[in-house]
Amino acid sequence: MSFWTRLAGRARHHPAPDDTPPQAAASEPAAVEALVRRLRQGDPNALAPLYRSESPGVYRYALALCGQPDLAADAMQEAFVQFAGRPEGWDSGRGSLGAYLAGMARHHLLARWRDQPMAHDESEDADHAHHDPVEAPEQQLVRAQDQARLMDAIQSLPWVFREALVLVDLQERSYVEAARIAGVELNTLRTRVHRGRARLLAALRDEVPAAVACSSKSA
């Protein structure tokens, strides 16, 4: 069954309340809320502009977490299927629709990785002894000329640190929104970001001597 067939099956098939054509995209909060309201009233035409607006961000978030395009696309699509079946589950007072969908994609990824302990590594205490101030991450990211190498370093982090950095540093979400998506307290999220940055910095630093050694050998 195709993705859009599944969506059509989840969306309610009642006549639209008016003949207003679907919007090309939904980017402003008011436009998003209006489209979701139409979807709740049974207008299936409201789903497509929401998908066009929100799916790229949800996909990028899932891809940064898992590093696998197929799995990221699956998580993104599953989030929309679930949302289409129960649009009333989103509360605009608790966060943006993008954050809500990202949280659903996150749960899908965790369910897929339930039998992979390393994906759920919660060993934050392992870094408890490290209190050195962390250099600004953007300075390290600018120096990391190879984007693929950077993503490999992020992928090497335990899940909790990887997720925190993806939400805050890559997606530039607020700490409050990031904590809501991750389902943790704000202070916990801040701690994960701090330690995740430290681990990422160490990983990037370790790659530099290795690259120099390889270059020397090849010369």
Side-chain angles (χ1 to χ4, degrees):
M1 183 182 296
S2 71
F3 168 53
W4 285 106
T5 300
R6 295 167 66 200
L7 276 182
R10 294 294 186 94
R12 284 172 279 186
H13 296 283
H14 299 297
D18 54 45
D19 294 327
T20 304
Q23 301 178 28
S27 56
E28 297 298 325
V32 171
E33 289 190 41
L35 286 167
V36 174
R37 189 161 51 247
R38 285 171 50 190
L39 187 62
R40 290 169 178 169
Q41 293 170 350
D43 180 6
N45 292 326
L47 186 59
L50 287 171
Y51 181 83
R52 287 194 293 270
S53 174
E54 305 297 333
S55 61
V58 178
Y59 173 77
R60 288 193 297 270
Y61 164 71
L63 180 61
L65 283 182
C66 68
Q68 302 176 46
D70 291 344
L71 185 55
D74 185 57
M76 179 270 291
Q77 292 176 1
E78 186 60 31
F80 272 92
V81 168
Q82 293 182 25
F83 170 65
R86 191 173 176 274
E88 62 274 12
W90 173 59
D91 179 0
S92 60
R94 292 177 56 84
S96 68
L97 179 60
Y100 178 73
L101 291 165
M104 296 170 75
R106 173 185 184 273
H107 288 311
H108 178 75
L109 290 174
L110 286 173
R112 290 287 299 269
W113 293 338
R114 192 167 295 154
D115 297 328
Q116 300 179 24
M118 289 303 295
H120 307 278
D121 188 349
E122 298 281 346
S123 58
E124 296 177 30
D125 291 338
D127 290 336
H128 191 270
H130 300 285
H131 300 289
D132 294 335
V134 180
E135 188 176 349
E138 59 270 16
Q139 296 176 4
Q140 296 302 316
L141 299 185
V142 168
R143 283 200 291 271
Q145 299 178 354
D146 187 345
Q147 186 69 17
R149 215 163 30 93
L150 172 62
M151 294 310 297
D152 285 344
I154 292 176
Q155 290 297 314
S156 71
L157 299 177
W159 166 274
V160 293
F161 304 124
R162 184 195 323 164
E163 178 181 43
L165 293 188
V166 167
L167 289 169
V168 175
D169 288 336
L170 295 188
Q171 293 207 315
E172 300 183 340
R173 296 182 185 273
S174 69
Y175 281 95
V176 173
E177 188 175 46
R180 185 175 296 120
I181 293 174
V184 297
E185 296 293 331
L186 181 58
N187 286 340
T188 300
L189 190 282
R190 290 183 184 276
T191 298
R192 290 180 179 182
V193 169
H194 175 78
R195 293 177 178 170
R197 286 171 176 169
R199 285 196 176 201
L200 180 59
L201 179 59
L204 292 174
R205 281 175 172 168
D206 288 345
E207 286 190 1
V208 174
V212 172
C214 289
S215 299
S216 301
K217 290 180 180 179
S218 60

